[in-house]
Short mmCIF file of all heavy atoms in Angstrom, two decimals:
data_model
loop_
_atom_site.label_atom_id
_atom_site.label_comp_id
_atom_site.label_asym_id
_atom_site.label_seq_id
_atom_site.Cartn_x
_atom_site.Cartn_y
_atom_site.Cartn_z
N GLN U 1282 87.77 161.92 216.75
CA GLN U 1282 87.20 161.51 218.00
C GLN U 1282 86.95 162.69 219.01
O GLN U 1282 86.15 162.71 219.87
CB GLN U 1282 87.97 160.48 218.64
CG GLN U 1282 88.04 159.20 217.87
CD GLN U 1282 89.03 158.19 218.46
OE1 GLN U 1282 90.09 158.60 218.89
NE2 GLN U 1282 88.65 156.88 218.43
N SER U 1283 87.90 163.73 218.87
CA SER U 1283 87.93 164.74 219.91
C SER U 1283 87.87 166.07 219.30
O SER U 1283 88.56 166.37 218.21
CB SER U 1283 89.25 164.64 220.68
OG SER U 1283 89.47 163.41 221.11
N PHE U 1285 87.54 170.53 219.77
CA PHE U 1285 87.87 171.55 220.65
C PHE U 1285 87.55 172.88 220.04
O PHE U 1285 87.72 173.08 218.86
CB PHE U 1285 89.36 171.46 221.08
CG PHE U 1285 89.80 170.21 221.54
CD1 PHE U 1285 90.52 169.35 220.61
CD2 PHE U 1285 89.49 169.61 222.81
CE1 PHE U 1285 90.98 168.11 221.05
CE2 PHE U 1285 89.86 168.34 223.21
CZ PHE U 1285 90.62 167.65 222.30
N TYR U 1287 88.88 176.89 220.63
CA TYR U 1287 89.88 177.83 221.26
C TYR U 1287 89.37 179.22 220.87
O TYR U 1287 88.87 179.48 219.84
CB TYR U 1287 91.29 177.54 220.68
CG TYR U 1287 91.92 176.26 221.17
CD1 TYR U 1287 91.67 175.10 220.48
CD2 TYR U 1287 92.81 176.29 222.19
CE1 TYR U 1287 92.27 173.91 220.94
CE2 TYR U 1287 93.43 175.11 222.62
CZ TYR U 1287 93.15 174.00 221.92
OH TYR U 1287 93.79 172.80 222.34
N GLN U 1289 91.10 183.06 220.54
CA GLN U 1289 92.35 183.75 220.46
C GLN U 1289 92.16 185.25 220.29
O GLN U 1289 91.62 185.66 219.30
CB GLN U 1289 93.20 183.15 219.25
CG GLN U 1289 94.55 183.71 219.19
CD GLN U 1289 95.44 183.03 218.14
OE1 GLN U 1289 94.90 182.48 217.16
NE2 GLN U 1289 96.70 183.08 218.34
N GLY U 1292 96.97 189.08 219.01
CA GLY U 1292 98.33 189.20 219.62
C GLY U 1292 98.55 188.17 220.75
O GLY U 1292 99.65 188.19 221.27
N LYS U 1293 97.53 187.37 221.01
CA LYS U 1293 97.68 186.42 222.17
C LYS U 1293 97.65 184.97 221.62
O LYS U 1293 97.42 184.75 220.44
CB LYS U 1293 96.47 186.66 223.13
CG LYS U 1293 96.41 187.98 223.70
CD LYS U 1293 97.53 188.42 224.61
CE LYS U 1293 97.36 189.67 225.28
NZ LYS U 1293 98.55 190.06 226.07
N SER U 1294 97.90 184.04 222.50
CA SER U 1294 97.92 182.62 222.12
C SER U 1294 96.49 182.02 222.28
O SER U 1294 95.64 182.59 223.00
CB SER U 1294 98.91 181.84 222.95
OG SER U 1294 98.50 181.85 224.28
N PRO U 1295 96.26 180.94 221.60
CA PRO U 1295 94.89 180.32 221.72
C PRO U 1295 94.65 179.84 223.11
O PRO U 1295 95.55 179.26 223.82
CB PRO U 1295 94.99 179.11 220.79
CG PRO U 1295 96.05 179.52 219.76
CD PRO U 1295 97.05 180.26 220.67
N GLU U 1296 93.40 179.96 223.63
CA GLU U 1296 93.02 179.58 224.90
C GLU U 1296 91.79 178.59 224.72
O GLU U 1296 90.82 178.91 224.14
CB GLU U 1296 92.49 180.78 225.67
CG GLU U 1296 91.85 180.55 227.01
CD GLU U 1296 91.10 181.82 227.51
OE1 GLU U 1296 90.97 182.80 226.80
OE2 GLU U 1296 90.67 181.82 228.67
N LEU U 1297 91.88 177.36 225.35
CA LEU U 1297 90.87 176.41 225.23
C LEU U 1297 89.63 176.85 225.95
O LEU U 1297 89.68 177.29 227.16
CB LEU U 1297 91.33 175.13 225.87
CG LEU U 1297 90.38 173.98 225.91
CD1 LEU U 1297 90.09 173.40 224.49
CD2 LEU U 1297 90.81 172.89 226.78
N SER U 1300 85.67 171.56 225.13
CA SER U 1300 85.99 170.20 224.57
C SER U 1300 84.77 169.44 224.37
O SER U 1300 83.83 169.53 225.28
CB SER U 1300 86.91 169.43 225.45
OG SER U 1300 88.14 170.14 225.70
N TYR U 1302 83.23 165.46 222.88
CA TYR U 1302 83.69 164.15 222.41
C TYR U 1302 82.49 163.25 221.89
O TYR U 1302 82.66 162.36 221.16
CB TYR U 1302 84.36 163.33 223.44
CG TYR U 1302 85.49 164.07 224.10
CD1 TYR U 1302 85.38 164.71 225.38
CD2 TYR U 1302 86.66 164.24 223.49
CE1 TYR U 1302 86.44 165.40 225.89
CE2 TYR U 1302 87.79 164.90 224.04
CZ TYR U 1302 87.60 165.55 225.27
OH TYR U 1302 88.59 166.25 225.80
N LEU U 1339 88.93 179.34 217.11
CA LEU U 1339 89.57 178.24 216.37
C LEU U 1339 88.88 176.90 216.62
O LEU U 1339 88.68 176.56 217.84
CB LEU U 1339 91.10 178.04 216.60
CG LEU U 1339 91.94 179.37 216.48
CD1 LEU U 1339 93.31 179.04 216.93
CD2 LEU U 1339 91.91 179.77 215.01
N ASN U 1343 91.29 166.36 216.91
CA ASN U 1343 92.34 165.43 217.07
C ASN U 1343 92.28 164.25 215.98
O ASN U 1343 91.17 163.62 216.02
CB ASN U 1343 92.35 164.87 218.44
CG ASN U 1343 93.17 165.77 219.41
OD1 ASN U 1343 93.50 166.87 219.01
ND2 ASN U 1343 93.42 165.25 220.63
N LYS U 1344 93.29 164.06 215.26
CA LYS U 1344 93.34 162.92 214.35
C LYS U 1344 93.64 161.65 215.19
O LYS U 1344 94.55 161.62 216.00
CB LYS U 1344 94.41 163.09 213.28
CG LYS U 1344 94.03 164.16 212.28
CD LYS U 1344 95.19 164.38 211.38
CE LYS U 1344 95.53 163.21 210.41
NZ LYS U 1344 94.48 163.16 209.35
N PRO U 1345 92.92 160.60 214.96
CA PRO U 1345 93.15 159.34 215.63
C PRO U 1345 94.35 158.53 215.10
O PRO U 1345 94.84 157.65 215.64
CB PRO U 1345 91.91 158.52 215.42
CG PRO U 1345 91.35 159.01 214.15
CD PRO U 1345 91.67 160.52 214.14
N GLY U 1347 98.44 158.98 212.86
CA GLY U 1347 99.40 160.07 212.69
C GLY U 1347 99.86 160.76 213.86
O GLY U 1347 100.19 161.89 213.87
N GLY U 1348 99.95 159.99 215.00
CA GLY U 1348 100.43 160.55 216.22
C GLY U 1348 99.31 161.28 216.95
O GLY U 1348 98.17 160.95 216.80
N PHE U 1349 99.71 162.27 217.73
CA PHE U 1349 98.67 162.97 218.45
C PHE U 1349 98.47 164.40 218.00
O PHE U 1349 98.27 165.27 218.80
CB PHE U 1349 99.05 162.89 220.00
CG PHE U 1349 99.33 161.50 220.46
CD1 PHE U 1349 100.63 161.05 220.76
CD2 PHE U 1349 98.26 160.66 220.54
CE1 PHE U 1349 100.75 159.73 221.26
CE2 PHE U 1349 98.43 159.33 220.97
CZ PHE U 1349 99.65 158.90 221.33
N LYS U 1350 98.58 164.52 216.74
CA LYS U 1350 98.50 165.88 216.21
C LYS U 1350 96.98 166.41 216.24
O LYS U 1350 96.11 165.58 216.14
CB LYS U 1350 98.87 165.91 214.82
CG LYS U 1350 100.44 165.80 214.60
CD LYS U 1350 100.93 166.01 213.23
CE LYS U 1350 100.39 165.06 212.16
NZ LYS U 1350 100.94 165.35 210.86
N THR U 1351 96.85 167.65 216.47
CA THR U 1351 95.61 168.33 216.38
C THR U 1351 95.56 169.12 215.12
O THR U 1351 96.59 169.81 214.81
CB THR U 1351 95.39 169.19 217.68
OG1 THR U 1351 95.37 168.41 218.80
CG2 THR U 1351 94.13 169.98 217.54
N ILE U 1352 94.51 169.06 214.36
CA ILE U 1352 94.28 169.88 213.15
C ILE U 1352 93.45 171.10 213.57
O ILE U 1352 92.33 170.95 213.99
CB ILE U 1352 93.72 169.08 212.09
CG1 ILE U 1352 94.38 167.76 211.84
CG2 ILE U 1352 93.62 169.87 210.84
CD1 ILE U 1352 95.85 167.85 211.50
N PHE U 1353 93.97 172.26 213.29
CA PHE U 1353 93.29 173.51 213.58
C PHE U 1353 92.61 174.09 212.30
O PHE U 1353 93.24 174.08 211.25
CB PHE U 1353 94.24 174.47 214.24
CG PHE U 1353 94.66 174.19 215.57
CD1 PHE U 1353 95.77 173.35 215.75
CD2 PHE U 1353 94.03 174.68 216.64
CE1 PHE U 1353 96.17 173.04 217.06
CE2 PHE U 1353 94.37 174.36 217.95
CZ PHE U 1353 95.47 173.57 218.14
N GLY U 1354 91.42 174.61 212.44
CA GLY U 1354 90.86 175.44 211.39
C GLY U 1354 91.55 176.75 211.34
O GLY U 1354 92.24 177.17 212.31
N ALA U 1355 91.19 177.52 210.35
CA ALA U 1355 91.91 178.83 210.20
C ALA U 1355 91.22 179.95 211.07
O ALA U 1355 91.81 180.95 211.30
CB ALA U 1355 91.77 179.29 208.77
N ARG A 397 108.78 186.71 225.18
CA ARG A 397 107.70 187.17 224.46
C ARG A 397 107.97 187.83 223.10
O ARG A 397 107.30 187.71 222.09
CB ARG A 397 106.85 188.21 225.41
CG ARG A 397 106.11 187.61 226.55
CD ARG A 397 105.02 186.56 226.06
NE ARG A 397 104.18 187.00 224.97
CZ ARG A 397 103.13 187.76 225.13
NH1 ARG A 397 102.76 188.13 226.28
NH2 ARG A 397 102.41 188.03 224.07
N ASN A 419 103.43 164.90 225.35
CA ASN A 419 103.47 165.50 223.97
C ASN A 419 103.75 166.96 224.03
O ASN A 419 103.13 167.71 224.81
CB ASN A 419 102.09 165.31 223.32
CG ASN A 419 101.64 163.85 223.27
OD1 ASN A 419 102.55 163.00 223.03
ND2 ASN A 419 100.42 163.56 223.49
N PHE A 421 104.66 170.43 221.31
CA PHE A 421 104.53 170.92 219.87
C PHE A 421 105.02 172.21 219.71
O PHE A 421 104.99 173.04 220.54
CB PHE A 421 102.98 170.98 219.49
CG PHE A 421 102.17 169.63 219.88
CD1 PHE A 421 101.77 169.36 221.07
CD2 PHE A 421 101.99 168.72 218.75
CE1 PHE A 421 101.09 168.27 221.33
CE2 PHE A 421 101.31 167.64 219.10
CZ PHE A 421 100.85 167.30 220.36
N TYR A 423 104.49 175.43 216.86
CA TYR A 423 103.76 175.99 215.71
C TYR A 423 104.29 177.32 215.34
O TYR A 423 104.82 177.99 216.25
CB TYR A 423 102.31 176.13 216.00
CG TYR A 423 101.50 174.94 216.40
CD1 TYR A 423 101.42 174.42 217.74
CD2 TYR A 423 100.76 174.26 215.41
CE1 TYR A 423 100.66 173.28 217.96
CE2 TYR A 423 100.01 173.12 215.69
CZ TYR A 423 99.92 172.64 216.96
OH TYR A 423 99.25 171.50 217.27
N GLN A 425 102.55 180.85 213.60
CA GLN A 425 101.27 181.41 213.15
C GLN A 425 101.46 182.75 212.43
O GLN A 425 102.05 183.67 212.96
CB GLN A 425 100.30 181.68 214.35
CG GLN A 425 98.88 182.04 213.97
CD GLN A 425 97.98 182.14 215.13
OE1 GLN A 425 98.36 182.50 216.29
NE2 GLN A 425 96.65 181.74 214.95
N LEU A 431 97.55 178.30 212.06
CA LEU A 431 98.57 177.60 212.91
C LEU A 431 99.19 176.56 211.99
O LEU A 431 98.47 175.72 211.32
CB LEU A 431 97.97 176.86 214.05
CG LEU A 431 97.65 177.85 215.22
CD1 LEU A 431 96.73 177.09 216.23
CD2 LEU A 431 98.93 178.21 215.93
N LEU A 433 102.05 173.44 211.97
CA LEU A 433 102.93 172.58 212.91
C LEU A 433 104.42 172.51 212.34
O LEU A 433 104.48 172.05 211.23
CB LEU A 433 102.24 171.28 213.11
CG LEU A 433 102.89 170.24 213.95
CD1 LEU A 433 103.01 170.83 215.40
CD2 LEU A 433 102.26 168.84 213.86
N PHE A 436 106.89 168.15 216.49
CA PHE A 436 106.30 167.72 217.78
C PHE A 436 107.07 166.51 218.27
O PHE A 436 107.86 165.87 217.63
CB PHE A 436 104.76 167.33 217.60
CG PHE A 436 104.47 166.15 216.74
CD1 PHE A 436 104.11 164.96 217.40
CD2 PHE A 436 104.45 166.22 215.39
CE1 PHE A 436 103.76 163.88 216.67
CE2 PHE A 436 104.09 165.16 214.58
CZ PHE A 436 103.74 163.92 215.20
N TYR A 438 106.67 163.22 221.22
CA TYR A 438 105.77 162.52 222.07
C TYR A 438 106.55 161.85 223.25
O TYR A 438 105.97 160.93 223.99
CB TYR A 438 104.97 161.46 221.27
CG TYR A 438 105.77 160.56 220.39
CD1 TYR A 438 106.30 159.40 220.83
CD2 TYR A 438 105.99 160.91 219.12
CE1 TYR A 438 107.01 158.49 220.01
CE2 TYR A 438 106.68 160.14 218.22
CZ TYR A 438 107.23 158.90 218.73
OH TYR A 438 107.89 158.13 217.84
N ASP A 447 104.40 169.91 209.50
CA ASP A 447 103.97 170.22 208.13
C ASP A 447 105.13 171.14 207.50
O ASP A 447 105.21 171.21 206.28
CB ASP A 447 102.65 171.01 208.11
CG ASP A 447 101.59 170.14 208.59
OD1 ASP A 447 101.57 168.96 208.24
OD2 ASP A 447 100.65 170.59 209.42
N MET A 476 104.95 184.63 214.67
CA MET A 476 104.71 184.25 216.06
C MET A 476 104.78 182.77 216.21
O MET A 476 104.30 182.01 215.46
CB MET A 476 103.19 184.60 216.39
CG MET A 476 102.71 184.07 217.66
SD MET A 476 103.31 184.86 219.14
CE MET A 476 102.00 186.04 219.42
N LEU A 478 104.49 179.46 218.67
CA LEU A 478 103.67 178.97 219.80
C LEU A 478 104.04 177.52 220.16
O LEU A 478 104.12 176.69 219.34
CB LEU A 478 102.17 179.01 219.47
CG LEU A 478 101.55 180.44 219.25
CD1 LEU A 478 100.30 180.30 218.42
CD2 LEU A 478 101.26 181.00 220.58
N GLY A 484 99.86 162.25 227.12
CA GLY A 484 100.54 161.26 226.28
C GLY A 484 99.50 160.28 225.57
O GLY A 484 98.79 160.64 224.64
N GLN A 485 99.42 159.03 226.12
CA GLN A 485 98.53 158.07 225.48
C GLN A 485 97.12 158.62 225.32
O GLN A 485 96.42 158.18 224.39
CB GLN A 485 98.63 156.75 226.22
CG GLN A 485 99.98 156.04 226.08
CD GLN A 485 100.31 155.72 224.64
OE1 GLN A 485 99.46 155.28 223.86
NE2 GLN A 485 101.60 155.96 224.27
N GLY A 487 96.45 161.48 224.64
CA GLY A 487 96.51 162.66 223.88
C GLY A 487 95.55 162.83 222.75
O GLY A 487 95.11 163.93 222.45
N ARG A 488 95.08 161.66 222.28
CA ARG A 488 94.10 161.76 221.22
C ARG A 488 92.72 162.30 221.75
O ARG A 488 91.88 162.74 220.99
CB ARG A 488 93.89 160.40 220.59
CG ARG A 488 93.31 159.30 221.44
CD ARG A 488 93.31 157.97 220.84
NE ARG A 488 92.67 156.98 221.62
CZ ARG A 488 93.30 156.32 222.62
NH1 ARG A 488 94.48 156.61 222.95
NH2 ARG A 488 92.56 155.38 223.28
N PHE A 489 92.60 162.26 223.03
CA PHE A 489 91.34 162.83 223.58
C PHE A 489 91.54 164.08 224.34
O PHE A 489 90.58 164.68 224.74
CB PHE A 489 90.80 161.84 224.55
CG PHE A 489 90.29 160.47 223.96
CD1 PHE A 489 90.96 159.28 224.38
CD2 PHE A 489 89.46 160.41 223.03
CE1 PHE A 489 90.54 158.11 223.79
CE2 PHE A 489 89.04 159.27 222.33
CZ PHE A 489 89.67 158.03 222.82
N GLN A 490 92.78 164.55 224.37
CA GLN A 490 93.05 165.61 225.24
C GLN A 490 93.47 166.88 224.43
O GLN A 490 94.10 166.78 223.44
CB GLN A 490 94.14 165.32 226.25
CG GLN A 490 93.80 164.27 227.23
CD GLN A 490 92.59 164.60 228.09
OE1 GLN A 490 92.48 165.78 228.51
NE2 GLN A 490 91.73 163.68 228.34
N PRO A 491 93.10 168.08 224.88
CA PRO A 491 93.41 169.31 224.13
C PRO A 491 94.90 169.66 224.32
O PRO A 491 95.47 169.27 225.33
CB PRO A 491 92.47 170.27 224.70
CG PRO A 491 92.27 169.90 226.10
CD PRO A 491 92.24 168.33 226.05
N GLN A 492 95.35 170.46 223.46
CA GLN A 492 96.69 171.07 223.66
C GLN A 492 96.52 172.35 224.42
O GLN A 492 95.50 173.06 224.31
CB GLN A 492 97.30 171.27 222.27
CG GLN A 492 97.69 170.08 221.47
CD GLN A 492 98.33 170.33 220.20
OE1 GLN A 492 98.85 171.37 219.97
NE2 GLN A 492 98.34 169.36 219.37
N HIS A 493 97.54 172.66 225.21
CA HIS A 493 97.51 173.89 225.97
C HIS A 493 98.79 174.70 225.54
O HIS A 493 99.88 174.19 225.42
CB HIS A 493 97.68 173.56 227.51
CG HIS A 493 96.56 172.75 228.04
ND1 HIS A 493 95.37 173.42 228.56
CD2 HIS A 493 96.29 171.46 228.03
CE1 HIS A 493 94.53 172.43 228.88
NE2 HIS A 493 95.07 171.22 228.67
N PHE A 494 98.49 175.96 225.30
CA PHE A 494 99.51 176.84 224.67
C PHE A 494 100.29 177.74 225.61
O PHE A 494 99.68 178.21 226.60
CB PHE A 494 98.86 177.67 223.58
CG PHE A 494 98.44 176.93 222.34
CD1 PHE A 494 97.28 176.27 222.31
CD2 PHE A 494 99.31 176.87 221.22
CE1 PHE A 494 96.91 175.54 221.10
CE2 PHE A 494 98.98 176.22 220.13
CZ PHE A 494 97.76 175.53 220.03
N GLY A 495 101.49 178.03 225.30
CA GLY A 495 102.17 179.06 225.94
C GLY A 495 101.82 180.46 225.40
O GLY A 495 100.91 180.52 224.53
N ASP A 496 102.34 181.49 225.93
CA ASP A 496 102.00 182.82 225.51
C ASP A 496 102.42 183.26 224.09
O ASP A 496 102.06 184.25 223.58
CB ASP A 496 102.43 183.87 226.55
CG ASP A 496 101.70 183.81 227.81
OD1 ASP A 496 100.56 183.29 227.79
OD2 ASP A 496 102.18 184.24 228.89
N GLY A 497 103.40 182.47 223.62
CA GLY A 497 103.98 182.82 222.25
C GLY A 497 105.20 183.61 222.28
O GLY A 497 105.42 184.38 223.30
N ARG A 499 107.06 186.32 219.77
CA ARG A 499 107.05 187.01 218.50
C ARG A 499 108.42 187.28 218.02
O ARG A 499 109.08 188.11 218.72
CB ARG A 499 106.18 188.41 218.64
CG ARG A 499 105.98 189.00 217.30
CD ARG A 499 104.94 190.08 217.39
NE ARG A 499 103.59 189.62 217.69
CZ ARG A 499 102.72 189.08 216.78
NH1 ARG A 499 103.14 188.89 215.51
NH2 ARG A 499 101.60 188.66 217.21
#
Side-chain angles (χ1 to χ4, degrees):
Chain U
Q1282 299 172 320
S1283 312
F1285 311 102
Y1287 290 82
Q1289 187 173 24
K1293 303 293 186 182
S1294 63
E1296 171 194 11
L1297 178 72
S1300 303
Y1302 306 102
L1339 305 176
N1343 272 10
K1344 287 173 71 74
F1349 304 112
K1350 289 191 293 184
T1351 298
I1352 308 301
F1353 289 87
Chain A
R397 286 301 312 277
N419 304 321
F421 307 82
Y423 296 88
Q425 187 174 35
L431 281 166
L433 181 64
F436 67 103
Y438 51 87
D447 301 316
M476 169 72 96
L478 292 161
Q485 290 299 319
R488 64 189 184 278
F489 298 119
Q490 297 298 321
Q492 294 181 17
H493 298 269
F494 287 85
D496 288 339
R499 189 166 293 281

